[in-house]
Amino acid sequence: MSGNAQKYEAVIGLEVHARLSTKSKLFSSDANAYGAAPNENVGVITLALPGTLPKINKKAIEYAVMMGIACNCTINQKNFFARKHYFYPDLPKGFQTSQHTVPVCAGGHVVITTSEGECNVQLHHIHLEEDAGKSIHDMDDTYSFIDLNRAGTPLIEIVTEPCMHSAEEAGLFVTELRKLVRWINICDGNMEEGSMRCDANISLRPKGATKLGTKVEVKNLNSIRNVKKAIESEIERMTAMLDNDEKIFQQTRSFDASNDTTFAIREKEEANDYRYFPEPDLPPLHLSAEFLNNIKNNLPPLPQVLFKKYHDVFGLSEYDAAQLTLEKDIAYYFETVVCTFQHNGHTEINYKAIANWINGPVKQIVNETGIALNEIDATKLSEIILIVESGEVSFSNASLKLLPAIIKDKTVNVSPLAHDLNIIQTKNNDELKEWVEAVINKMPDKVAAYKKGKKGLIGLFVGEVKKLSKGKADLKTVTQLLEEALK
Ligand code: ADP
Ligand code: MG
């Protein structure tokens, strides 16, 4: 970046489209499915045949409201659809049914954690709209083809205020949105399949200025990496322009992932004339308090809420709490294990130990083997955690031997299994002393160094005893015995 980069502040606002995972389209019973054969899900409404009328999909409204609640928005109980006119070959009606003056959700914010701490990304609104179809230009030399499967599928568009200032923030925001839509199960969040797409609006202004600069809009970014790269590239390009006293015009641009730069696709007039007007074929929506309460009450506990509970109530570190709330499945599994302890009458629960197990060996074995979390019996995992806490089995033997064993054979019981595997740690002092002595005799040089003050060597001795005992030595006692013997 130019040496003058510090002179300017970047301002970024994002428009994120998320495809709702409803069974049918927004205004018709045609299937809303990715990957079908071309034009398989195209009925008379999708084709906009004369005489057909739209009918709103209730589930789509429900999903939009769910997202609004998850993003701390105000839900507009009265909201309505509008026609947005533009000519587009894959838009059979000649207009897109969207929301304009009164969308379903207004305001709101999403919390992100940057390298400088927590901050809120302010939302302008969230609205519902239908997607367009797809033109295919590369299948034939003479003709363009059209696939209308996507036409009429339901989207929400999440529009932020121009409140972000770096590619990092924008990337974290999209990551958080993807986590949220997956968490509440309204969209699969698969950006590579186009389930989430992002337009990035970027402008620069002199540092300290309050008036916004002229923006450019980079369309259709289909990965978090590309969102970040497009913003970085635009900041660099516009910085160079301003440094050369060039004027920035409002533009729509596209991103070329092969060289991480953007190129202009059209100049944007001051304001687009979409000739919006209220959709006459759909009545305004009146969402009852009961409808909204029902949605609110059925929403799963949100990641921010669980994060706060794990951190403030359970006393876990921010890192541990964040790791546990990366995905709903993991948070729910953690909750299940905690419940198991409560259910079995434990009053002092070691939350840190449970978090360590789930963020450590459990996640590792899930990643390595591809098994589902629910294949690890929570009750048995809690028994493993307890057997380690009591000092009967070492953490490493428990994670390397007991954990895989309870996944492989659902019928085994933890304590007998530990005996069968011969991994119960010895508390027998005589046996421990023999191992300690053997190690001391084996390493006279190190022992001398230790006695001269290299106290850090104790870890080495303990490790040697561990090896010698094949993990069966209780290491706390071993450390004490070693310290006594080396006095
Ligand atoms: P348009 O009518 O061109 O779509 P909007 O005012 O509706 O523009 O804003 C669309 C998106 O662009 C929003 O996310 C908004 O935050 C962002 N935005 C608007 N003006 C600017 C600006 N000057 N710099 C950066 N982002 C902007
Ligand atoms: Mg726009």
Coordinates of all heavy atoms in Angstrom, one line a residue, residues 15 199 201 215 217 219 268, ligand 2:
E15 N -23.6 -5.4 1.6 CA -25.0 -5.9 1.4 C -24.8 -7.4 1.2 O -24.1 -7.8 0.2 CB -25.5 -5.2 0.1 CG -25.7 -3.7 0.2 CD -25.8 -3.0 -1.1 OE1 -24.8 -2.7 -1.7 OE2 -27.0 -2.8 -1.5
D199 N -22.0 -7.9 -1.7 CA -21.6 -6.7 -2.4 C -20.9 -5.8 -1.4 O -21.4 -5.5 -0.3 CB -22.8 -5.9 -3.0 CG -23.6 -6.8 -3.9 OD1 -23.1 -7.8 -4.4 OD2 -24.8 -6.5 -4.1
N201 N -19.4 -2.1 -0.6 CA -19.3 -0.7 -1.0 C -18.1 -0.1 -0.2 O -18.0 -0.2 1.0 CB -20.6 0.0 -0.6 CG -21.8 -0.6 -1.3 OD1 -22.2 -0.1 -2.3 ND2 -22.4 -1.6 -0.7
K215 N -18.4 6.3 -3.3 CA -18.2 4.9 -3.1 C -18.1 4.2 -4.5 O -18.7 4.6 -5.5 CB -19.3 4.3 -2.3 CG -20.6 4.3 -3.0 CD -21.7 3.4 -2.3 CE -23.0 3.5 -3.0 NZ -23.9 2.5 -2.8
E217 N -18.9 0.1 -5.8 CA -19.5 -1.1 -5.3 C -19.0 -2.3 -6.0 O -19.0 -2.4 -7.2 CB -21.0 -1.0 -5.5 CG -21.8 -2.2 -5.0 CD -23.3 -2.1 -5.1 OE1 -23.8 -1.0 -5.6 OE2 -24.0 -3.0 -4.7
K219 N -19.4 -6.1 -6.8 CA -20.6 -7.0 -6.8 C -20.2 -8.5 -6.6 O -19.1 -8.9 -7.1 CB -21.3 -6.9 -8.2 CG -22.1 -5.6 -8.3 CD -23.4 -5.8 -7.6 CE -24.5 -4.8 -7.9 NZ -25.5 -4.7 -6.9
K268 N -22.1 4.2 -12.4 CA -23.5 4.3 -11.7 C -23.9 5.8 -11.7 O -23.2 6.6 -11.3 CB -23.4 3.7 -10.3 CG -24.7 3.3 -9.8 CD -24.4 2.4 -8.5 CE -25.7 1.9 -8.0 NZ -25.6 1.0 -6.9
Ligands
MG2 MG -26.4 -1.7 -3.7

